[in-house]
Amino acid sequence: EVSVAGTPVDLAANLTTGMVNLVVRVPVGPVQPYATGGVGVIRASGDVEVPFLGSVLSISGQDFGMNVGGGLYVFPSEHLGIRAD
């Protein structure tokens, strides 16, 4: 709850994402490059309520999302690995 000029205003927001990613790694030696990419859905919604006025603003939406990236896996020993994006 947020107070605006002495009037309590209720702000509520929601953000939900769902993504599926694929990682492709080149398993050669102790330093291994990789690439990653994914697709999914991003959903957002929000409401603003003011006492005696009720809901004064309500928004919602859904959109396509994607990501790409890459990096290195570094294995300094047999049982220890480090990933750098």
Side-chain angles (χ1 to χ4, degrees), residues 17-56:
T17 62
M19 302 291 285
V20 176
N21 287 283
L22 175 68
V23 176
V24 177
R25 178 172 58 129
V26 181
V28 291
V31 178
Q32 302 175 6
Y34 73 91
T36 182
V39 295
V41 161
I42 302 168
R43 293 181 182 168
S45 63
D47 293 303
V48 177
E49 291 189 17
V50 177
F52 307 111
L53 295 178
S55 180
V56 294

Side-chain angles (χ1 to χ4, degrees), residues 2 4 7 11-13 34 47 57 59 71 80 85:
V2 176
V4 177
T7 305
L11 304 172
Y34 73 91
D47 293 303
L57 177 65
I59 60 168
L80 177 66
D85 298 330

